[in-house]
Amino acid sequence: MRVALVGQPNCGKSTLFNSVAGYKAIASNFPGTSVDLTVSRVSLNGLSFDLVDLPGIYSLSSVEPDELVARDYLLKMKPDAVINILDASLLGRSLELTLELLELKVPLIVCLNMMDEAERKGIRIDVRHLEEDLGVPTVPTIASRGQGIPELFEATVRTATAQQAGRSFYRSRDVENAVAELSFLIGEKTAAELGVPSRLLGLKLLEGDEDFQRRVRSRRPEVLPEVERLQESLSYYRGRPADVVLSSERHSLALNLLEHVTEVKPRVKPGFLERLDSYLLHPILGYLILGLILFGFFNAVFGLGRLVEQPVLSWFGQLSEILRSRLDQTSLGFTLAEGLIQGFSGGIGIVLPYLVPFLLGLSLLEDIGYLPRAAFLMDTIMHRIGLHGKAVIPMVLGYGCNVPAIMSTRTLGSTRDRFITAVLVTFVPCAARTTIIFSLVAFYLGPSAALFLYLLNLVVIAAVGKLLSILRPELSPGLILEIPSCRLPRPRAVASKIWFRLREFVVIAWPILIVGSVVLGLLEHFDLFEAVNRLFAPFTRGLLGLPAETSITLIFGILRKELTIIMLVQALGTSEFASVMSHGQMMVFTVFSLFYIPCLATLAMLRAVIGLRGTAFALLLTTAVATGMALLVRFAYLAFG
């Protein structure tokens, strides 16, 4: 059995999914597209079913690629039940999608999520009356707390078993006459072949939905002139285009439902969280607050990481000394054991102390609702470099990991915007690159120096973006971005999100780090270490002025960026980098690592989104920019000390 989660963006759909799936979800590519759907196997009272988290969708009529995938899944895959998640605090708007889903005639369950948010706004919903009006089970939930979720899925199983579909809501007489005429002309057989109920097909044709028109044209082209005639008739008598008539009637029906089932208590004055936006989105104060938040964020991450790093590395250092005293340092066994110790110590002592607080801060900013506000503030800057403001979202996601950030560029409508944004995301310092910045620059040069690198990174991204926009000119449309309400984060939801992101390092990256550390030890044991370093020494030592031993660390860093800093410990033979590298060399090494070739996982996602030629271009561009910026930093240190 398959159950699909459908809802408008920011309705808490993914929160509900994660509360059920935890970290056991997998990404499933929808056939014929490059959009991934998240799927998890769920067990309830001995019954197992697949829960599918579809992309957020405002309407069944959409031109956005990910929203079209959500609609096509509902029409083609025919899920056994659909859970429609509604934001209870925005019930009138949310019900418009519900009215469309009812026309699909599939087993439907309505989930009234964010009931606490509705109550905070003074909205009381009569759930029983809403259930009677819609004709489908309606369950109130607070997904962030786990409230109502067992009842929701019990209702889902009952509805799927009984094949219970809701009622249709009829429009005005002239609209219904036009829909009935189209349904008769198309016929039930043609509608069944297209996998769409005839009534829904008639409504969408009247709205001028291009995708449905294309489907009908392939089978019954003689119907389309009749569609145009009925659209013109509606427009003539209503004084508005037919699609506006249909959307207005759906909006009116939703508001009538809202008035019937809700009671709103007027609030005496706006709460603290509502007043907060007047400062967070202020044209001047907003940027000042953004700067202060970033400054505090990086200092907090550095402070927490530094407290843990030194004691842990000291303990592993003592373990290495014990190993040296008991084993022959020229033996293969010693090489393997030391490689294992350094791989473990790098993960526990260097990566995790910075990665965990970084992901904690990122999750808190996301759950509070600040990241969309930061995207709103950055919209003007994005337009100055010739990109759509929506490109801010992948950039922000890139600070966690470049892979999902590049994946999210598929939501951009323009091929040109997808290409430029995907290339620019490869320059964004992900969590793995953050560990390099904090363990080298922040630790030895101070957190202000680390913050300078992030600001420098933004300048470089803006410059490269402007250059690419000049090379591929196109007018960027304005930004329509939904800003969710500010909310207090839920500890359980934050913890789940941190683990969901951290597990990639623990399960995938860390084993690679340990294996890489062992391989590096074997290269040194069999006297191949120096050969590799000599091969690349003209570049690293000659051009960049770095120790020759850093060559192999940069090579391993292409596998996983965390490997760069861990291999550096092993290559230099110490975790006290200041004893073998000058401040200038640390800065040059970090700047080069910040901009050069991304990890293999990022390259694979790049190839899927922008193709092989685009990926090759990104490789050349990142290497050129990394080399140029590293040389600039080196000459600056030589000139000014």
Side-chain angles (χ1 to χ4, degrees), residues 277-351:
D277 269 342
S278 62
Y279 302 104
L280 295 179
L281 300 177
H282 192 274
I284 298 175
L285 285 178
Y287 291 99
L288 179 62
I289 293 172
L290 176 62
L292 290 174
I293 287 175
L294 292 177
F295 182 78
F297 178 55
F298 291 120
N299 276 274
V301 171
F302 167 71
L304 292 171
R306 190 171 189 177
L307 285 175
V308 177
E309 181 180 4
Q310 281 292 13
V312 172
L313 289 179
S314 298
W315 185 83
F316 276 105
Q318 294 171 9
L319 188 62
S320 294
E321 289 298 326
I322 295 172
L323 187 69
R324 289 189 181 93
S325 64
R326 296 188 178 182
L327 292 178
D328 180 9
Q329 296 185 24
T330 61
S331 67
L332 182 61
F334 172 81
T335 299
L336 295 174
E338 188 175 47
L340 287 171
I341 289 175
Q342 290 183 345
F344 275 103
S345 67
I348 298 174
I350 296 177
V351 177

Side-chain angles (χ1 to χ4, degrees), residues 56-72:
I57 182 170
Y58 285 104
S59 168
L60 292 182
S61 292
S62 177
V63 295
E64 297 291 339
D66 52 337
E67 295 190 22
L68 285 173
V69 164
R71 185 179 76 178
D72 286 345

Side-chain angles (χ1 to χ4, degrees), residues 193-214:
E193 290 173 353
L194 294 172
V196 186
S198 59
R199 175 176 166 78
L200 176 62
L201 185 56
L203 286 168
K204 290 302 171 186
L205 289 174
L206 282 177
E207 287 182 14
D209 188 293
E210 294 181 359
D211 185 52
F212 281 107
Q213 286 181 348
R214 185 168 57 253

